[in-house]
Amino acid sequence: MAYYCQECGYRSVKWLGRCPGCGSWDSLMEEAENFSRNKSSKATRKARLLRLDEVSAVETQRYVSGLGEFDRVLGGGLIPASLVLIGGDPGIGKSTLLLQVARGYRERGLSVVYLSGEESPAQVRLRAERVGAPEDLRVCAENDLSAVLATLEDEPPRILIVDSIQTVYLPELSSAPGSVSQVREAASRLLRFSKEREVSVFIVGHVTKEGALAGPRVLEHLVDVVLYFEGERSGPYRVLRAVKNRFGPVDEIGVFEMSDRGLIPVENPSGFFLSGGGGAVFPALEGTRPLLVEIQALVVKSYLASPRRTSVGFDPWRLSMLLAILEKHLGLSFYDRDVFLNVAGGLKIREPAADLAVCAALLSSRLDRGLPADMVFCGEVGLSGEVRGVIGLETRLKEAARLGFKKAVVPATARPPKGHLDLLKITRIEELQDHL
Ligand code: TYD
Ligand code: MG
């Protein structure tokens, strides 16, 4: 037996409260070890060596699903014999998305098998009827992955959907389904199957913080493409994001709206994430597309010895850094305040360009000053309080102008975009106050 971190797969012979691999707390769980420590080094089969010029260089045809937002995130379609991991919170819509995608592939004559380890065939059918999946989609409700692959061996489909990796298992391993070793082994088995039989495989992985199911992070290096499905379960909008893609750009996003008939692609989503909640509006750039998001902050007096810092959708370390910068350069105290930060609509913002908007939201709540409703904020803030330029500023500002915003607080290097937008240029964070 050994202990494995359920987040990153770190192995330890004894239990530890904190994983030395990734720093998560309470993530190590005991698991049976599966590898045989076989000393004999005699290989049963030989590997094949190729000269690079023997390899055909034709760009392989991609499989298109017809769901434009989905195909775009994949880089223009699915590469044959590739492995795609789709991660996301439970209930976000992964199964729904894949059923719809399956329909698209079926309509284009590709054979698809949907392996459901979570739902019975009747439940899959019910959902399929809602989203209009085809009658002839082949479904398999089975948790034993070896059995499934043995069945598919003779007549492999072009596309296999495994929903989810945490609910399938290999009976020859003694560890429980959902454990790191099961998840990793099942995925490598799928990888081999995919490359040998030329099957593209979608692997669904639930991401949970509770540690009961293995985080799909252990799979990221194994697969060709990693997509994350994010959004607020209670809200209608969902964002599909590529975080790794061996065959296309990352940072491209696909936006969908969850309806009673499944997911509807949103082709022009730039204003959809504005909630009108009085937060600071940040013109984000997702891949090539501008997207306006609202950043909300609440700063209140704290009664705790160490005040709360809660951040949803924005890096908590970066929030701490910005608070320190505001404290140092504007002389405002935050050490005695609880700070809550939220990106509206369940989006995750990873760009430093959001710094100015975050600072504006924090200042607005700290000083009890409302933000002008027609203003956007865009710029990176450095440790010494300087405001730095960002990439793609023109595209961002053009979109803000198109959506009716009138003013933008931006770094001094900014050039005015086409359209009517007043630029309020600042070089230091102190100047932000003057515009609130
Ligand atoms: P689901 O695809 O089951 O999520 P996941 O596979 O990521 O766990 O989606 C579940 C949610 O989506 C569920 O709360 C119901 C909702 N939903 C709709 O609103 N409309 C629909 O047409 C479908 C199929 C689901
Ligand atoms: Mg599901």
Side-chain angles (χ1 to χ4, degrees):
M1 297 296 253
Y3 294 86
Y4 286 89
C5 171
Q6 304 294 307
E7 292 284 336
C8 71
Y10 182 90
R11 178 180 174 276
S12 163
V13 288
K14 61 182 198 315
W15 188 83
L16 299 167
R18 184 171 193 215
C19 170
C22 66
S24 340
W25 289 96
D26 203 18
S27 63
L28 267 71
M29 298 223 315
E30 190 171 22
E31 284 183 19
E33 298 205 77
N34 303 298
F35 32 84
S36 62
R37 291 225 168 77
N38 201 341
K39 287 283 183 295
S40 111
S41 58
K42 201 114 191 108
T44 47
R45 50 182 286 274
K46 293 212 169 97
R48 207 166 129 232
L49 290 179
L50 284 176
R51 263 173 59 138
L52 211 48
D53 57 8
E54 293 166 358
V55 184
S56 76
V58 281
E59 160 84 34
T60 34
Q61 183 111 37
R62 290 176 185 251
Y63 301 149
V64 172
S65 74
L67 207 61
E69 292 290 293
F70 184 80
D71 293 334
R72 213 162 44 85
V73 175
L74 281 177
L78 178 66
I79 295 279
S82 64
L83 232 64
V84 180
L85 173 68
I86 300 193
D89 293 334
I92 200 74
K94 302 181 292 297
S95 307
T96 308
L97 177 68
L98 286 173
L99 268 180
Q100 289 183 240
V101 165
R103 174 178 78 181
Y105 290 132
R106 281 297 304 131
E107 282 169 0
R108 283 156 186 79
L110 297 161
S111 51
V112 184
V113 168
Y114 182 88
L115 164 60
S116 175
E118 298 183 349
E119 293 168 316
S120 68
Q123 285 170 316
V124 175
R125 176 165 181 173
L126 257 173
R127 189 204 301 264
E129 279 170 1
R130 260 172 92 174
V131 304
E135 300 280 305
D136 62 351
L137 175 69
R138 283 184 296 164
V139 179
C140 174
E142 174 64 69
N143 299 90
D144 179 346
L145 188 62
S146 301
V148 175
L149 295 185
T151 312
L152 299 180
E153 195 64 35
D154 308 325
E155 207 193 318
R158 289 280 63 86
I159 295 160
L160 170 66
I161 298 169
V162 180
D163 189 2
S164 63
I165 190 73
Q166 283 109 350
T167 51
V168 296
Y169 70 99
L170 297 168
E172 55 271 34
L173 305 188
S174 46
S175 42
S179 62
V180 170
S181 17
Q182 277 285 2
V183 164
R184 197 163 22 199
E185 274 308 308
S188 2
R189 184 73 64 87
L190 284 168
L191 175 69
R192 232 174 307 143
F193 179 73
S194 153
K195 304 297 165 192
E196 281 171 14
R197 319 295 308 183
E198 287 209 24
V199 180
S200 295
V201 183
F202 286 107
I203 299 177
V204 172
H206 293 298
V207 197
T208 79
K209 270 269 125 204
E210 282 69 47
L213 295 174
R217 269 202 268 158
V218 298
L219 306 178
E220 284 184 359
H221 66 281
L222 201 79
V223 299
D224 301 305
V225 180
V226 180
L227 307 179
Y228 273 98
F229 210 26
E230 56 193 52
E232 255 163 25
R233 244 191 310 177
S234 51
Y237 298 110
R238 304 283 185 272
V239 171
L240 186 69
R241 191 191 291 276
V243 295
K244 164 180 174 179
N245 193 347
R246 286 190 181 140
F247 320 111
V250 287
D251 295 336
E252 270 309 335
I253 61 163
V255 181
F256 299 90
E257 183 179 352
M258 181 63 94
S259 75
D260 56 352
R261 311 209 59 84
L263 293 155
I264 301 169
V266 179
E267 259 136 49
N268 192 1
S270 58
F272 279 58
F273 290 91
L274 296 176
S275 66
V281 176
F282 165 57
L285 199 58
E286 296 289 355
T288 48
R289 287 202 297 187
L291 189 70
L292 276 79
V293 294
E294 191 175 319
I295 297 176
Q296 305 167 332
L298 181 66
V299 181
V300 288
K301 185 157 172 41
S302 179
Y303 297 93
L304 302 169
S306 57
R308 228 181 258 277
R309 300 281 183 259
T310 306
S311 178
V312 180
F314 187 76
D315 180 10
W317 296 105
R318 197 144 190 110
L319 171 63
S320 301
M321 185 188 91
L322 294 174
L323 287 170
I325 292 170
L326 291 178
E327 191 144 350
K328 168 101 182 166
H329 297 286
L330 276 74
L332 291 169
S333 64
F334 285 98
Y335 68 88
D336 53 353
R337 316 274 159 153
D338 289 333
V339 176
F340 303 89
L341 194 78
N342 179 44
V343 180
L347 274 182
K348 293 192 174 67
I349 297 291
R350 293 175 179 81
E351 296 183 277
D355 289 353
L356 262 190
V358 171
C359 289
L362 291 169
L363 282 182
S364 150
S365 180
R366 174 67 181 79
L367 303 171
D368 276 321
R369 281 193 219 159
L371 293 168
D374 57 355
M375 193 180 270
V376 298
F377 301 87
C378 188
E380 182 180 341
V381 179
L383 281 181
S384 56
E386 81 279 15
V387 174
R388 298 209 196 112
V390 302
I391 52 157
L393 193 60
E394 239 166 314
T395 317
R396 300 171 197 258
L397 295 180
K398 213 165 97 193
E399 192 63 18
R402 197 181 69 80
L403 288 172
F405 287 90
K406 297 275 178 278
K407 293 176 224 147
V409 180
V410 289
T413 49
R415 273 173 293 143
K418 292 185 197 77
H420 300 284
L421 194 72
D422 281 338
L423 295 190
L424 308 168
K425 297 186 182 182
I426 61 175
T427 49
R428 301 207 36 89
I429 189 71
E430 291 88 331
E431 298 160 49
L432 180 59
Q433 272 189 105
D434 309 337
H435 299 300
L436 304 185

